[in-house]
Amino acid sequence: STPGPVAKYLNKRISLPLSLKLAKWNIHPNWITLLNLALGVSTGFFVAKGSYEMLLLGAALFQLASIFDGCDGEVAKLNFTTSKFGQYFDSISDNGALVSFFVGLIFAFSNNHSQSATVEMAALLLGGLGGLLWQMIQFLKKFTHSASLVTFDKEYLSKLSENNYSPILLNFIRYGKVVMRKDCFSLY
């Protein structure tokens, strides 16, 4: 069961058969996470080049990293090798890929825009992303026993009520979290 449409209809159709093979070969999930991290970080290097071909290659690798992101957890569950370290490593890998991709976009942006516009864009993007991740991690540490950012959605975002927040904000969060999930973002 996966909430994102890209994960459900594209990524899982690839990752599940691949995970079954990797589990049979007894590949440890952390090695898959390491591959995912390498793919994800490499996307930033390609995207930073700024040419159409390199942007396309970076985006394709980012989508591939999104597919492999599902494999590590699936293999861990299939082989009963889940661990707290694996959850943290997976979260670091996912967010490392995301940050690398955004940093690459900032470098590509700098090729066509002034230095001040680039600095402003970088500060907004990375500051906002860093602040958001910090808040999510603090919530997980304080209120859950999980290191998975998916738990933040299950334990916090899904439980927001109209008694405390406006319906407009709740709809923005409800629909925004679907289109901004890594699986959807990677396909865009």
Side-chain angles (χ1 to χ4, degrees), residues 41-90:
V41 169
S42 71
T43 65
F45 291 104
F46 290 111
V47 168
K49 301 288 184 191
S51 71
Y52 177 75
E53 293 82 11
M54 292 293 108
L55 284 169
L56 193 59
L57 179 59
L61 288 174
F62 195 75
Q63 177 61 32
L64 188 61
S66 181
I67 292 168
F68 271 101
D69 179 33
C71 290
D72 54 6
E74 292 163 358
V75 170
K77 290 171 189 159
L78 286 167
N79 288 345
F80 304 103
T81 54
T82 60
S83 69
K84 185 70 93 177
F85 173 80
Q87 289 178 353
Y88 280 116
F89 190 33
D90 182 52

Side-chain angles (χ1 to χ4, degrees), residues 123-135:
L124 274 172
L125 183 63
L126 296 176
L129 183 62
L132 180 63
L133 289 173
W134 176 258
Q135 289 297 317

Side-chain angles (χ1 to χ4, degrees), residues 131-148:
L132 180 63
L133 289 173
W134 176 258
Q135 289 297 317
M136 293 168 73
I137 290 167
Q138 292 307 308
F139 174 85
L140 290 171
K141 286 172 72 174
K142 188 173 182 177
F143 296 110
T144 73
H145 297 289
S146 175
S148 171

